[in-house]
Amino acid sequence: MGKIITIGRQFGSGGREFGKRLSDELGYRYIDKEIICEIAKETSLSEGYVSNIIENSPESVYSISYARTLSFGDNYYLNQMRSVYSAQNDIINKFAQRENCVIIGRCADYILRNMNPYRIFVYASIESRVARCINRAENSENINLNELRKNINNVDKNRSRYYEFYTGMEWGNIENYDLCINTSGRIIKDLVPVVAKMLV
Amino acid sequence: MGKIITIGRQFGSGGREFGKRLSDELGYRYIDKEIICEIAKETSLSEGYVSNIIENSPESVYSISYARTLSFGDNYYLNQMRSVYSAQNDIINKFAQRENCVIIGRCADYILRNMNPYRIFVYASIESRVARCINRAENSENINLNELRKNINNVDKNRSRYYEFYTGMEWGNIENYDLCINTSGRIIKDLVPVVAKMLV
């Protein structure tokens, strides 16, 4: 069984970069999109479809309480969504059994709760997240700021619903994490080596 | 104007020890109970009475929304409570103008918001907080665990209401802090030097 670090993150907060750098700093395996690839293999669904199910929170088409009352077979899409979650569960467990790793998102903190992962949540002010998205964009001059703000909020709303649906817990609530770090105005490259020292 | 670190903390999480050690590590002034002493001087109230107003959240006798509708003079106790908050505001500003400091609680993060303080929130699981309180107690064999748990929750309910009343913000919500750190199972003496590195 490896040492596990899980990273929850607001969209645009730099959480993915934080996780990647942390895995490099500690020499841990970085696990992010490879989960989607593995799920696609296990479920025979396309990677794009799996990614859509995971990233776009299809349960947002149902209310959480309604979706919970449905049993398997009631609804084809819901059924498939649950198969993907179940495959994801197996795959995350397999990775975690095998070696030390940093896992981005996907309720890994909850899925691996019996392995005592170190659970980090990365967040930032909306202004800082907008700025980070613009810096990252290829054609930043074409960005509509209002649209961008709306998109950021939508992605996080989906992440929050997805997390709540599968874990019954509140996404971004301190109680569910060991460290919550605000990246507003901070350089992630400089933060990571310090945080790494907390973990060894 | 000094560099300011503010520490919000759940009762029993070790936030006060964290703040004291951090101030020692950084060579900053540690500000905690001296605020009460200064307020007592300014308001001519006794230290015990001031402490009671601050620590025991007297606004819990009113609903927050009702208390907000009252104007000065409506109620003697509410009036005095506001005088104490106002004196506290002045004193915290005076300390912060003078030198680098670590300030424990008392809405200092909000009061000094224009000075860009580094805002830390220290928290822990209820089990860990119970254990810390027992370790700290002189006669730990006489402690009733249910009572202790209830007391811990009550103190935090008061802190939360106090913070919400004066700031309009949610106590312990990540959005209001730069770093939220869970001390469950951690040794504060070891954590502090690492956190200090984030701040220099």
Side-chain angles (χ1 to χ4, degrees), chain A residues 149-166:
Chain A
R149 228 172 255 123
K150 221 162 79 183
N151 286 344
I152 289 174
N153 285 328
N154 278 343
V155 171
D156 280 353
K157 214 161 153 187
N158 280 340
R159 285 183 182 172
S160 171
R161 288 178 63 93
Y162 182 87
Y163 187 83
E164 189 185 341
F165 182 77
Y166 285 112

Side-chain angles (χ1 to χ4, degrees), chain B residues 34-137:
Chain B
E34 37 277 85
I35 293 176
I36 289 173
C37 169
E38 293 285 321
I39 296 172
K41 274 190 222 155
E42 277 206 17
T43 58
S44 308
L45 299 168
S46 77
E47 285 187 29
Y49 188 74
V50 169
S51 173
N52 189 48
I53 282 186
I54 292 180
E55 296 289 340
N56 295 317
S57 182
E59 68 276 27
S60 62
V61 297
Y62 313 97
S63 77
I64 286 181
S65 52
Y66 175 66
R68 282 204 173 125
T69 65
L70 296 173
S71 61
F72 281 83
D74 273 355
N75 180 298
Y76 178 74
Y77 193 59
L78 192 67
N79 207 353
Q80 216 161 47
M81 201 183 95
R82 284 184 167 145
S83 301
V84 165
Y85 184 74
S86 165
Q88 174 174 279
N89 205 316
D90 294 346
I91 289 155
I92 286 177
N93 264 297
K94 242 184 267 171
F95 276 123
Q97 289 294 343
R98 214 185 293 153
E99 59 192 311
N100 298 340
C101 46
V102 174
I103 308 178
I104 306 294
R106 301 184 179 82
C107 306
D109 53 333
Y110 179 76
I111 291 169
L112 301 175
R113 63 195 178 283
N114 295 330
M115 293 175 74
N116 198 24
Y118 193 78
R119 304 156 303 167
I120 298 177
F121 192 79
V122 181
Y123 63 104
S125 68
I126 186 71
E127 298 76 26
S128 157
R129 291 152 66 204
V130 164
R132 194 178 295 272
C133 287
I134 291 172
N135 278 342
R136 224 158 43 178

Side-chain angles (χ1 to χ4, degrees), chain A residues 10 118-119 121 123 172 174-175 177-182 186 191 194-195 197-198, chain B residues 10 118-119 121 123 172 174-175 177-182 186 191 194-195 197-198:
Chain A
Q10 286 183 339
Y118 193 79
R119 306 156 302 167
F121 191 80
Y123 63 104
I174 56 169
E175 286 186 14
Y177 306 94
D178 298 298
L179 187 74
C180 303
I181 188 158
N182 187 335
R186 306 298 302 251
L191 274 179
V194 181
V195 172
K197 285 203 175 69
M198 270 185 211
Chain B
Q10 286 183 340
Y118 193 78
R119 304 156 303 167
F121 192 79
Y123 63 104
I174 56 169
E175 287 187 13
Y177 305 94
D178 298 298
L179 187 75
C180 303
I181 189 158
N182 188 335
R186 306 297 303 251
L191 272 179
V194 181
V195 173
K197 285 204 175 67
M198 271 187 209

